[in-house]
Amino acid sequence: MMVSVRRVLSILFCLLMAGLVSALAIGYFSSDGIQWVDAARVGLLATSTAWLAWGAAYAFNGLLSFPLKLETPPFVPTPTKARTAVLVPVYNEDPVKTFSHVAAMIGSLKALGIAGRFDFAILSDTRDAQVAQEEARWFERLRGECGADAALYYRRREMNTGKKAGNVADFIRTSGALYDYLIVLDADSLMEGATMAEMVRRMDADPKLGLLQTLPKIVHARSYFGRAMQFSTAFYSPVYTRGLAELQGDAGPFWGHNAIVRTRAFAQSCGLPELSGTPPFGGHILSHDYVEAALLTRNGWTVRVDPDLTGSFEEGPDNVIDFAKRDRRWCQGNLQHGRVMTAPGLKAWSRFVFLQNIMAYVASPLWALFILASIAAPTLKGVPDYFPEPGLFPVFPRVEQGLALTLLVGVFGLLIGPKLVIVARGALSGVNAGFGGTRRALLNTLTEIATTSLLAPIMLMYQCRAVLEVLSGMDGGWPATNREAGSVSLSEAWAASWWISATGLVTLGFAFQFAPEYVSWLLLVAAPQVFAPLLIHVSSWTASAGSRQAGVFRTSADDDPAPVVTRQEAVLARWRGGIAHDDGAGRPVEQGVLASADAKR
Amino acid sequence: MMRVLDAGNPTPGLDGFALPVAPMAMPEQVLERPRARGALFASLLKRLAWK
């Protein structure tokens, strides 16, 4: 189906959903007369619903886009004259871990006999001198083990101007002319050698292709929270990403890593200026990847995401607090897109993508405003008597309850409906076999829905805070992600989320006082907020061996881990085992060094 | 292609692994339009000053 037809149908679907929800809401809110506060509530609900429907539209496009049984032939390296640099930008990360990833990727390429086609460049922006020393020490170790197989470079910038985008640009300005393509990674990225070779083959095959993005799957998740995300990216994301690919056409996404770029196209199109003014809206562009994708498209290059490019991996945060910290950074970057979306010459779809990026964070305050308006509405309008004596509980008119329930089912349906359809499709296509069978996949989907439903009201508060901070001019800086952070103690969770508990309690208190008919509905949101510290603490627990054996959040990563992942784990275990080395490079990096670097961040 | 890795060199310093030099230009892109209000205000001021 033509991309434009898909886009129009998807937008119409969102408008239809927003219209239906508005009609139900008008019926529900107007039982005691309709006033300006109801109009505001309907507007907020319609906008939020349209946003939810847009997410569902991605899923439906993905579900309808490809044959049920998709056979992906194994990637076979083909001859090429292209030279490719694999860029590994690092910023105060643990070098032992990062370099074990590099060693595994070189090993994977070597096994295919194509390691000589790829040069690896560690591009350090590390600010902490001690961590930099460790990087130098461990680079020696990496060179000692892999130097004979692939060219290895290490460079540390004195100033980390432009952060990661500046780091990559600095490489291009120094060495770009040597390479046809650049594979851009993150410190926690892992890719199979065959996948890297296939990416080069696809770039060779399409001279207009400026950037090819893979869908990285999460590996090495340990906590319940991390494993829920790992299951989510393995089970749902391929379908959502296929939908994204179908809707975006030639103006696809760039997620900043696990992608290959045509060096000439990137250099010609992606030199990012500093925006006028000061952070958070001015200064360096934080969420640079989407901007770079838009600029490539502006210059006539194709940007594509190929979800069938398996063998691409990354790690994710293992607890809600680290997730929220990363989200704070992304929030500032995405809101900054408001400055970029009016850039001259951009394609209309690129501007729409920027709007989506902004909406991804503004949606939370809109939901919060809807809740506040709903609590305030009875006071502003005057409340009918919902508490007839005697009786402990509020009594709703029948029609209203039915409408409210339909409204709730409709809104939640947009969230969970696509996930259930993905399970059904997986049963027909055989995909569920990789997730322990359909029964297990369905159970895990329901568990994941329950987990995200409990954590979503907490994330809503973190996102509201992030948006308010950015709008009030607070620069969140650029802290590195703590991908190896373990579980969160109850006191740490309390320190990070007491204000969410307090907000939940106050919200419920106001609701009891001013809008008792909404209390039962509000409990869905406010109860998880009240128990936020406990939920953050429990979800960060390391998943027990028993739960893994029982198949909780089971993915193919549990039963049949990818060779490059196994290889990386073996290298890391060997290196952390502290195998003696004359220059001391076998010593594991002291956690104190990294902790001190964390503190400076 | 310049390869800085030399397996025969027993203890090269990190300087030996510096990036190869093959520069490629990366011109800065235009992302911001000139501020319309500012430009309008400036032109109005100029007109008033002339009068």
Side-chain angles (χ1 to χ4, degrees):
Chain A
M1 201 190 300
M2 279 170 57
V3 171
S4 50
V5 175
R6 281 183 181 278
R7 288 175 179 175
V8 170
L9 288 177
S10 301
I11 291 170
L12 284 176
F13 169 72
C14 295
L15 294 176
L16 180 69
M17 289 297 113
L20 282 173
V21 163
S22 299
L24 286 169
I26 289 169
Y28 181 50
F29 298 152
S30 64
S31 59
D32 50 355
I34 195 146
Q35 292 183 10
W36 66 269
V37 70
D38 296 315
R41 280 200 290 174
V42 170
L44 289 166
L45 191 61
T47 313
S48 303
T49 304
W51 175 242
L52 288 183
W54 186 244
Y58 276 136
F60 292 136
N61 274 287
L63 285 162
L64 297 171
S65 68
F66 54 102
L68 202 58
K69 297 205 180 205
L70 188 69
E71 296 293 331
T72 309
F75 304 139
V76 180
T78 50
T80 179
K81 289 180 182 167
R83 284 222 57 82
T84 304
V86 182
L87 308 185
V88 187
V90 294
Y91 177 71
N92 286 348
E93 272 97 357
D94 178 356
V96 191
K97 180 128 191 324
T98 303
F99 294 173
S100 72
H101 286 231
V102 175
M105 287 186 276
I106 293 174
S108 179
L109 289 165
K110 187 186 171 191
L112 294 168
I114 53 171
R117 294 182 192 174
F118 297 84
D119 293 358
F120 282 76
I122 314 290
L123 306 178
S124 174
D125 260 359
T126 292
R127 311 314 311 147
D128 187 278
Q130 275 183 292
V131 177
Q133 266 186 353
E134 294 295 334
E135 283 175 3
R137 198 156 68 86
W138 281 93
F139 183 76
E140 290 290 325
R141 177 69 179 263
L142 177 68
R143 183 194 65 81
E145 294 199 7
C146 306
D149 304 318
L152 280 163
Y153 302 111
Y154 175 91
R155 176 285 266 127
R156 182 171 168 233
R157 291 199 297 171
E158 286 187 9
M159 302 289 291
N160 61 341
T161 312
K163 306 198 167 87
K164 184 179 171 182
N167 198 356
V168 171
D170 181 84
F171 175 85
I172 293 173
R173 290 189 176 117
T174 308
S175 317
L178 275 181
Y179 300 102
D180 302 282
Y181 310 125
L182 308 174
I183 292 180
V184 184
L185 301 179
D186 251 359
D188 64 343
S189 296
L190 261 176
M191 295 191 91
E192 293 285 2
T195 308
M196 290 195 259
E198 176 66 12
M199 290 162 82
V200 169
R201 190 193 69 73
R202 293 185 190 190
M203 293 297 280
D204 279 346
D206 183 355
K208 291 297 288 174
L209 188 55
L211 188 150
L212 178 59
Q213 174 71 57
T214 67
L215 169 64
K217 288 185 180 165
I218 291 179
V219 289
H220 294 149
R222 292 167 297 171
S223 66
Y224 289 107
F225 174 79
R227 281 177 63 78
M229 281 182 65
Q230 182 173 283
F231 173 78
S232 176
T233 59
F235 195 55
Y236 315 134
S237 291
V239 174
Y240 279 89
T241 307
R242 177 65 69 173
L244 178 76
E246 295 293 341
L247 278 174
Q248 296 208 326
D250 286 346
F254 178 33
W255 297 324
H257 55 90
N258 292 47
I260 188 167
V261 300
R262 191 176 301 275
T263 316
R264 188 166 53 88
F266 199 80
Q268 176 200 75
S269 314
C270 300
L272 296 182
E274 271 192 56
L275 296 177
S276 57
T278 52
F281 291 107
H284 292 294
I285 294 171
L286 296 184
S287 292
H288 55 89
D289 37 17
Y290 274 90
V291 179
E292 287 158 348
L295 293 177
L296 280 166
T297 310
R298 178 170 81 172
N299 272 355
W301 295 99
T302 300
V303 177
R304 211 170 73 200
V305 55
D306 283 0
D308 65 319
L309 276 170
T310 53
S312 174
F313 308 97
E314 64 171 338
E315 293 174 1
D318 246 349
N319 60 65
V320 173
I321 295 174
D322 279 315
F323 186 90
K325 279 184 195 167
R326 187 181 72 174
D327 222 34
R328 168 67 176 83
R329 211 170 67 211
W330 287 357
C331 172
Q332 185 168 334
N334 281 20
L335 294 186
Q336 201 185 33
H337 286 167
R339 292 281 309 277
V340 184
M341 64 189 293
T342 55
L346 290 184
K347 292 204 170 178
W349 187 257
S350 298
R351 297 187 202 279
F352 185 54
V353 168
F354 286 131
L355 184 66
Q356 289 174 50
N357 292 348
I358 295 167
M359 196 57 199
Y361 288 92
V362 171
S364 285
L366 292 184
W367 277 115
L369 279 175
F370 170 73
I371 292 168
L372 288 178
S374 295
I375 294 172
T379 309
L380 294 170
K381 294 170 70 175
V383 194
D385 183 15
Y386 287 123
F387 280 101
E389 292 290 341
L392 287 173
F393 299 102
V395 175
F396 300 108
R398 279 183 77 107
V399 177
E400 279 192 0
Q401 283 204 32
L403 277 176
L405 202 60
T406 312
L407 200 59
L408 193 71
V409 168
V411 171
F412 270 81
L414 288 173
L415 277 173
I416 65 174
K419 294 181 177 179
L420 296 176
V421 179
I422 289 171
V423 178
R425 188 185 180 285
L428 297 172
S429 67
V431 165
N432 291 353
F435 294 86
T438 296
R439 189 171 157 275
R440 172 56 53 195
L442 178 62
L443 271 175
N444 279 331
T445 299
L446 295 174
T447 313
E448 189 272 341
I449 289 168
T451 308
T452 45
S453 301
L454 284 172
L455 295 179
I458 300 169
M459 288 314 303
L460 178 136
M461 293 306 294
Y462 278 122
Q463 288 195 341
C464 286
R465 180 174 161 170
V467 170
L468 286 176
E469 280 180 359
V470 174
L471 292 181
S472 62
M474 284 172 70
D475 178 17
W478 193 252
T481 303
N482 192 0
R483 297 180 180 93
E484 283 210 283
S487 56
V488 178
S489 70
L490 197 54
S491 61
E492 285 172 322
W494 171 255
S497 64
W498 64 268
W499 62 276
I500 297 178
S501 294
T503 310
L505 278 172
V506 169
T507 307
L508 275 179
F510 274 107
F512 267 114
Q513 183 68 30
F514 301 112
E517 71 269 33
Y518 290 125
V519 168
S520 50
W521 303 113
L522 263 179
L523 277 173
L524 291 170
V525 176
Q529 289 175 350
V530 171
F531 294 104
L534 191 64
L535 289 170
I536 292 172
H537 170 60
V538 171
S539 63
S540 78
W541 286 352
T542 301
S544 66
S547 78
R548 284 171 182 250
Q549 279 168 3
V552 177
F553 297 133
R554 180 174 174 179
T555 64
S556 54
D558 292 326
D559 305 325
D560 184 22
V564 75
V565 176
T566 322
R567 196 185 290 268
Q568 181 269 328
E569 287 166 356
V571 173
L572 186 63
R574 185 160 50 80
W575 285 2
R576 284 210 168 138
I579 294 168
H581 201 271
D582 286 344
D583 59 4
R587 291 197 308 270
V589 175
E590 289 172 29
Q591 288 307 304
V593 171
L594 291 169
S596 127
D598 277 345
K600 285 174 191 167
R601 290 198 292 253
Chain B
M1 185 205 71
M2 179 177 168
R3 284 201 171 230
V4 292
L5 177 66
D6 180 0
N9 183 352
T11 52
L14 277 181
D15 291 344
F17 298 98
L19 296 175
V21 178
M24 183 178 265
M26 198 167 179
E28 275 197 358
Q29 302 298 302
V30 176
L31 287 181
E32 293 180 279
R33 294 173 193 272
R35 289 191 175 180
R37 268 184 303 178
L40 181 68
F41 187 63
S43 67
L44 280 173
L45 269 183
K46 271 185 193 168
R47 280 172 184 247
L48 286 172
W50 183 75
K51 282 178 182 174

